[in-house]
Amino acid sequence: MRAALVFLRILLAVVGGYGVSAALSAGLAWGLPRVSSTPRGEAVVLAGMLGFVVYLGVLLGALAWPGRRRGAASRPSFRRSMSVLHTWAGLVLGAVLFAVFWMGTLSVFDREIDRWMMPSTRLAPPPASLSLDDTARKAAERLAPGAKQWSITLPSERTPVLQLRYPDPAGGDSVLRYLDPRSGALLSPPGTKGGTGFIFPFHFSLHIAWLDLGIWLVGLAAMALLVLVVSGVVIHAHFFKEFFTFRPHKALTRSSLDLHTTMGVLALPFHFVMPLSGLIIFFSLFFPGTWQAAFQGDRAAFNREVFGGYQRPRAGEPAPLASLDVMRARAEELWGKGTVSSLRVMHPGDAAGHVEVRRTSADQVALSREQLYLDAVTGNVLGRAEGQRPVLGVQRFVAGIHFLQFDDWALRWLYFLAGLAGCTMIVTGFLFWLESRRSEHARQGLAGVRVVEALTIGSVTGIVVATLAFFVANRLLPAQASLWGMPREQLEMVAFYVSWLVTFAHAALRSRAAWAEQCWVIAGLAVTAVVLNAWTTGDHVLRALGRGAFGVAGMDLLLLVAAALAAAAARRLERRPLRASAVRGAQSHLENAAGVGRAAHG
Amino acid sequence: MARGALAAAVFAASYLGCALLALRQRPHFRAVSAQAPSARPSAALRARLLYAGSLTLVLSLCCSWLAHGVSFGSLYWVLALGATSVAVTFTLTWRPHWLGAVLRGVSAGSQSSQSLLGRN
């Protein structure tokens, strides 16, 4: 009964809170330009960003209000309801959060993963000068004659290849081809989605495309993380006295809680800014009412005003495309040498063709929105994305913090470590939940711990196993592999999902022993991946280091570190099986545990 | 070169600042100073640790701004603070005596905050 009430309350808060914040943000986006001189685009961005703050406030208020039955809103009871909230939100969405954190942490090195998974693109750093007219343009005119548009992304230190995208003549998704920037030669298709095509989209969409369900689920998890961070600070407030404390030799409840609060509190700004900035990136998807109200539902007008863009219809008369190298040089005069990241040619070969040149974000925190539009036939400047938009500037800066598109290796590693801290925080939160209830559930014959433990193992060690299986499949499958009509890149993804499912089944069957067993599998797969890379590409660590392929060497080294850590963890788990009696001792330390436990049992 | 030294100083100062703040707490103070379980830092020492720790963290932020500019510098500092505070936590767990020199430095300093900073 109690559990049903709690569930109903959460559902009401989540759905009702969203309704309130969506209505308020749409109202603000509609009203602000009418009562002030704020441009519509600025009002939409502001309303979209504030919507998440309002939603967080409503969620916390509705879910954590102690309620009348427990008397006045005294501090302990406020903390206890926060504690119930923390437990439920963590339990329900912890698995999704771990998947998002894990894939986000890997996405920090998505291009290095690409190089590892796409051996044909492991080229030397790009030359200082290259001609687009002689390379990518020729390829585009050969591969995509008559295409409505095609685009070229220039090589960079982390991606030393030219990328050409054009619409699939067969009507599918757009085609992406890699070219050697020196010779302009087409590289053989890599047959993999790699880090940028599989791991990065998994981070924000879980690859559930139907109705954007994956993005909404990740958005919900991000909101939950904000709620978890705030409620976590409230319930663990008395742990601030024990800052910087980790006691690995005490009972597992104690040590996992130490690690949970350490990783949570010490990386608190990261754990708060990442979900919030992630939501802000997708503000127009999560709060569509904002732009619909301000632009009367005209999506294209909204996109043009906020994100820039130039459009004009096809003329129908043929005219040759002018030099792309000249257009690139013209943009560099404006922004500086080496600052052009991509060019998009619209209506190539048409008299009304035009070219959109984009600036890189490599040298700034904010995502660049600088664009230059040129006439494709004369090369004359048609316009550029307007500057001076303070609110949009904030949105681009916040998005830039999340996207990490700047070239800075030290920051990249710090993001990676902070991401791992987040993963640790989620795992230890689960461990604490499990260990503080294990004996009680066993005594009462409840299935809660068994079910949650299987889910935890599958979503923690399981996703690591699946990721490694994805890497191993990448090195094992032959170049032309296909099965039941599935191309090679899909077979890799099948390897990921099948092995992930198997880890859940294994966890359900083997229960607690599955932790150590899956750690052994992780160690084995990681070493296998390194060996297979050396065997199939010849780029073992030393050779990769010697020829400057640091991304490939780094990936191999990290795989070896992961293997060593997993093997050490497995050995430790097998040598020192956890005792239930040690677990119970720590419970008395936690004034919250009893209350949380009761609420969770229902 | 100067930029590299400043960038390293961000981490060093951030670690030191966290260590100084951690030493204000009784269990850490005890573990580092290897004193009896009843020992606790005096009020004067706690105040000194607070000032020295906070100042060192501010110094770390200034180094970060000088090395990386305000926007990148702030990002660096926040992430470096997280990483070094976890490093301090692990130092206190496994090698608390490493921080003995820090504690001795602060304890032995005269009352004036000037010489205190000089020692750090």
Side-chain angles (χ1 to χ4, degrees), chain A residues 519-520 522-524 526-527 556-572:
Chain A
C519 279
W520 282 121
I522 290 172
V527 172
D556 269 351
L557 288 173
L558 270 187
L559 282 170
L560 292 176
V561 169
L565 287 175
R571 273 183 63 108
R572 217 181 141 89

Side-chain angles (χ1 to χ4, degrees), chain A residues 191 473-482 488 491:
Chain A
N474 170 266
R475 292 292 82 233
L476 273 183
L477 288 170
Q480 303 301 326
S482 74
R488 189 183 189 279
L491 292 178

Side-chain angles (χ1 to χ4, degrees), chain A residues 221-244:
Chain A
M223 255 352 271
L225 183 56
L226 292 175
V227 168
L228 281 162
V229 167
V230 175
S231 57
V233 168
V234 172
I235 61 173
H236 295 306
H238 57 291
F239 288 106
F240 279 82
K241 285 200 297 257
E242 300 182 351
F243 231 71
F244 304 111

Side-chain angles (χ1 to χ4, degrees), chain B residues 19-101:
Chain B
L20 287 166
L21 291 179
L23 285 173
R24 297 181 74 234
Q25 293 168 351
R26 193 145 60 116
H28 301 321
F29 173 76
R30 230 162 37 213
V32 171
S33 61
Q35 285 189 6
S38 58
R40 59 169 71 219
S42 67
L45 181 61
R46 274 171 57 88
R48 225 189 280 175
L49 285 166
L50 178 64
Y51 294 134
S54 313
L55 269 174
T56 317
L57 288 183
V58 171
L59 184 74
S60 162
L61 177 60
C62 294
C63 287
S64 194
W65 281 345
L66 282 175
H68 308 291
V70 173
S71 49
F72 273 113
S74 308
L75 205 52
Y76 251 104
W77 183 71
V78 169
L79 288 164
L81 189 62
T84 51
S85 54
V86 171
V88 166
T89 305
F90 289 165
T91 311
L92 287 166
T93 303
W94 286 295
R95 296 283 183 277
H97 55 273
W98 284 6
L99 297 178

Side-chain angles (χ1 to χ4, degrees), chain A residues 335-382:
Chain A
W335 302 325
K337 186 104 187 96
T339 49
V340 169
S341 72
S342 70
L343 295 94
R344 187 154 68 124
V345 182
M346 303 290 295
H347 317 314
D350 186 86
H354 49 101
V355 179
E356 174 188 295
V357 187
R358 287 178 179 245
R359 189 194 191 285
T360 172
S361 306
D363 55 351
Q364 56 188 40
V365 175
L367 276 190
S368 170
R369 56 178 217 95
E370 292 265 13
Q371 295 168 18
L372 184 69
Y373 315 114
L374 301 129
D375 190 291
V377 181
T378 62
N380 291 334
V381 175
L382 298 170

Side-chain angles (χ1 to χ4, degrees), chain A residues 116-119 188-194 466 468-484 486-498 528-529 532-533 535-537:
Chain A
W116 193 93
M117 296 184 78
M118 306 174 181
S188 56
T192 178
K193 294 256 179 198
L468 292 168
F470 179 62
F471 295 153
V472 168
N474 170 266
R475 292 292 82 233
L476 273 183
L477 288 170
Q480 303 301 326
S482 74
L483 189 67
W484 300 318
M486 281 185 288
R488 189 183 189 279
E489 57 192 46
Q490 262 179 29
L491 292 178
E492 282 180 11
M493 286 153 72
V494 167
F496 176 91
Y497 288 110
V498 168
T528 310
L532 283 174
N533 176 45
W535 185 39
T536 56
T537 70

